């Protein structure tokens, strides 16, 4: 999922402790990108935000990719592109999505989420405090279906800075990290559901039971496939929260997750990802103690049969160095057994969970042209296709690199 902190940093130059088993690692394995995606709308050498946000359908066949600094509808306006993958694995830029009322005073695409089949897109704009639903119509075109806003929104709350869509595209979770419900910038998240007639209604507003000033609850979030379990980060508070949709139709906080070795300013909760069944949570803490000081780490939590949550593993990149910010962005596969994790100044890693529950580093992602990979990424449901933003030094512009079939046989449990 895309977090608001990515933009905040750019603008400013930006329980009880439990034992855990560290993941093993192998720093000698690398996976090389197979393709490089770029947009034809931004000329070489132009500063652009192509790839600042990315979302991938479950089968890895449809991708949403943000691009900025396009002047088509105003100075430096933003757009979102749809790329599709053909049977032979090649990708094509197919559609350019724009909001009906696009202006230069927006950040359309600041967060993105696709339904499992890639037919519905949820696109946030934290500057305009909204999120738009686009639908792939029967005639093959994409159309804006509706605009979602907070019922109690007053503006300036960064509503839309983080979004997540259920697998069927019928439930939307949207963060408002600067909402003041429990103190200035304590943060909140809103649940919207699609009615049988196609209209969208706000179902609930979620806040942390112990919400405090400047917690940034909702800076990142993730929904389970059925849209009934939500994982919501609060990085300034160093926590993540689990909410569930109960049989009586209400949403309730089920757990507050904390790192066993957490300390102030680790930014635990800066990125989160939930497995499809809502039973495995991956949480980044990019300032946590790793290999070299605050190089960063990520934590795996498992929901037990009594609905309590237990920290299973702490993941650390083998080649990380000081200030690598490993854990800046995290993604889990559908079954919760493949993890894609990266940092702000280190190439991403793939970790896998064996049949006995042991996590290990499988490989680090690299490009074949020597270019660096960034802190925005997306992973398909099976964990076999990944899109990762990078910077093409030769053309002085962003690109999105495609990785496929990087999980080794027998590295994950058999069905």
């Amino acid at each position: 999922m895309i977090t608001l902190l990515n933009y905040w940093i750019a603008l400013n130059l930006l329980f009880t402790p439990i034992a855990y088993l560290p993941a093993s690692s192998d720093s000698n394995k690398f996976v090389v990108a197979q393709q490089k995606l770029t947009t034809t709308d931004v000329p070489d050498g132009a500063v652009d935000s192509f790839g600042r946000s990315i979302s991938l359908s479950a089968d890895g066949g449809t991708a949403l990719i943000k691009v900025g600094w396009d002047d088509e509808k105003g100075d430096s306006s933003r757009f979102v592109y749809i790329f599709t993958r053909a049977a032979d694995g090649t990708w094509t830029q197919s559609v350019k999505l724009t909001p009906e009322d696009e202006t230069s005073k927006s950040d359309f695409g600041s967060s993105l989420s696709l339904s499992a089949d890639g037919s519905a897109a949820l696109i946030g704009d934290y500057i305009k405090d909204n999120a738009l639903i686009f639908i792939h119509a029967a005639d093959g075109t994409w159309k804006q279906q509706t605009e979602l806003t907070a019922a109690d929104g007053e503006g300036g709350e960064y509503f839309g800075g983080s979004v997540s869509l259920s697998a069927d595209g019928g439930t939307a979770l949207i963060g408002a990290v600067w909402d003041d419900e429990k103190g200035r910038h304590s943060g909140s998240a809103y649940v919207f559901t699609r009615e049988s007639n196609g209209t969208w209604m706000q179902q609930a507003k979620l806040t942390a039971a112990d919400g405090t000033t400047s917690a940034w609850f909702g800076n990142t979030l993730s929904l389970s496939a059925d849209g009934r379990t939500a994982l919501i980060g609060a990085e300034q508070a160093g926590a993540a929260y689990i909410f569930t949709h109960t049989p009586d139709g209400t949403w309730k906080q089920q757990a507050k997750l904390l790192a066993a070795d957490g300390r102030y300013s680790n930014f635990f909760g800066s990125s989160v990802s939930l497995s499809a069944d809502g039973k495995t949570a991956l949480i980044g803490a990019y300032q946590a103690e790793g290999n070299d000081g605050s190089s960063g780490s990520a934590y795996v939590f498992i929901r037990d049969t009594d609905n309590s949550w237990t920290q299973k593993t702490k993941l650390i990149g083998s080649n990380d160095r000081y200030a690598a910010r490993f854990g800046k962005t995290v993604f889990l596969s559908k079954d919760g057994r493949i993890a894609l994790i990266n940092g702000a100044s280190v190439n991403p890693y793939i970790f896998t969970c064996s049949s006995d529950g042991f996590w290990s580093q499988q490989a680090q992602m690299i490009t074949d042209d020597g270019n660096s990979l960034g802190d925005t990424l997306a992973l398909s449901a099976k964990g076999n296709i990944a899109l990762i933003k990078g910077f093409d030094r030769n053309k002085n512009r962003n690109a999105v690199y495609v990785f496929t079939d990087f999980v080794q046989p027998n590295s994950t449990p058999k069905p």
Side-chain angles (χ1 to χ4, degrees):
M1 293 296 101
I2 304 301
T3 70
L4 180 63
L5 188 62
N6 292 346
Y7 301 97
W8 184 86
I9 287 175
L11 292 174
N12 290 270
L13 294 179
L14 301 245
F15 21 114
T16 304
I18 54 176
Y20 61 86
L21 183 66
S24 67
S25 62
D26 184 346
S27 61
N28 298 319
K29 296 179 181 178
F30 297 92
V31 174
V32 181
Q34 284 81 32
Q35 297 180 60
K36 181 170 62 177
L37 307 182
T38 60
T39 175
T40 59
D41 294 68
V42 180
D44 294 346
V47 177
D48 73 285
S49 61
F50 180 72
R52 181 70 62 82
S53 306
I54 305 173
S55 185
L56 197 56
S57 62
D59 66 357
T62 304
L64 286 179
I65 303 178
K66 173 189 174 176
V67 63
W69 314 119
D70 187 315
D71 297 335
E72 182 174 314
K73 288 193 175 183
D75 182 40
S76 298
S77 50
R78 276 71 165 169
F79 300 88
V80 172
Y81 288 89
I82 295 179
F83 283 75
T84 55
R85 181 170 56 90
D88 63 0
T90 58
W91 287 81
T92 303
Q93 178 181 315
S94 60
V95 178
K96 181 178 184 179
L97 301 182
T98 64
E100 294 174 353
D101 62 346
E102 173 66 0
T103 67
S104 60
K105 295 181 179 180
S106 77
D107 196 12
F108 178 70
S110 52
S111 56
L112 304 171
S113 186
L114 272 173
S115 61
D117 65 1
S119 65
L122 176 61
I123 303 177
D125 185 338
Y126 77 90
I127 291 180
K128 296 184 72 173
D129 282 289
N130 71 8
L132 303 180
I133 297 286
F134 285 79
I135 299 297
H136 194 203
D139 62 4
T141 62
W142 282 83
K143 298 178 180 178
Q144 180 178 320
Q145 183 184 60
T146 192
E147 176 186 14
L148 304 180
T149 58
D152 59 349
E154 298 179 352
E157 296 163 340
Y158 280 27
F159 177 93
S162 55
V163 299
S164 185
L165 200 58
S166 61
D168 67 357
T171 302
L173 182 63
I174 304 172
V177 70
W178 277 11
D179 181 72
D180 298 334
E181 179 79 13
K182 293 198 171 183
R184 182 171 171 78
H185 299 169
S186 54
S188 63
Y190 294 80
V191 181
F192 293 80
T193 55
R194 185 180 60 208
E195 305 299 312
S196 57
N197 63 359
T199 61
W200 285 80
M201 300 292 293
Q202 181 178 312
Q203 184 183 71
K205 178 179 181 179
L206 309 181
T207 58
D210 60 349
T212 60
T213 298
S214 300
W216 282 25
F217 175 91
N219 67 278
T220 181
L221 38 76
S222 180
L223 269 178
S224 59
D226 64 4
R228 300 181 68 85
T229 302
L231 172 61
I232 303 174
E235 65 178 40
Q236 297 294 320
Y241 297 81
I242 297 288
F243 287 78
T244 57
H245 191 219
T246 61
D248 65 5
T250 61
W251 282 83
K252 294 182 179 179
Q253 182 178 313
Q254 183 181 78
K256 177 182 180 179
L257 307 183
L258 301 169
D261 60 348
R263 60 181 177 81
Y264 180 71
S265 297
N266 278 0
F267 291 115
F268 176 87
S270 56
S271 57
V272 300
S273 185
L274 198 59
S275 61
D277 62 5
K279 296 181 179 180
T280 303
L282 179 62
I283 303 170
Y286 69 82
Q287 288 273 85
E289 294 294 330
N291 285 329
D292 186 1
S294 56
S295 57
S297 59
Y299 299 79
V300 178
F301 287 78
I302 303 295
R303 188 177 72 193
D304 300 317
T305 54
D306 62 355
N307 288 329
S308 63
W309 286 78
T310 302
Q311 182 178 311
K312 178 71 174 178
T313 301
K314 178 180 179 179
L315 306 178
I316 299 172
S318 61
N319 295 326
D320 289 354
R321 57 192 180 277
Y322 180 75
R325 292 185 174 178
F326 175 84
K328 188 69 164 29
T329 314
V330 300
F331 260 93
L332 272 177
S333 60
K334 179 180 178 179
D335 62 7
R337 293 185 177 274
I338 301 173
L340 177 61
I341 307 171
N342 76 337
S345 59
V346 65
N347 283 348
Y349 296 83
I350 284 289
F351 289 80
T352 59
C353 182
S354 63
S355 56
D356 59 2
F358 186 77
W359 283 84
S360 61
Q361 179 183 310
Q362 182 174 129
Q364 187 172 17
M365 325 295 264
I366 59 174
T367 67
D368 62 357
D369 52 13
N371 288 321
S372 60
L373 295 170
D375 58 0
T376 307
L377 47 82
L379 185 67
S380 64
K382 291 184 178 180
N384 62 333
I385 299 174
L387 298 185
I388 304 172
K389 183 192 76 173
F391 185 74
D392 188 336
R393 296 186 185 92
N394 295 328
K395 295 187 176 182
N396 192 31
R397 60 181 296 179
N398 286 352
V400 172
Y401 290 83
V402 181
F403 295 80
T404 58
D405 300 324
F406 41 79
V407 178
Q408 297 178 353
N410 302 321
S411 62
T412 55
K414 296 180 180 179

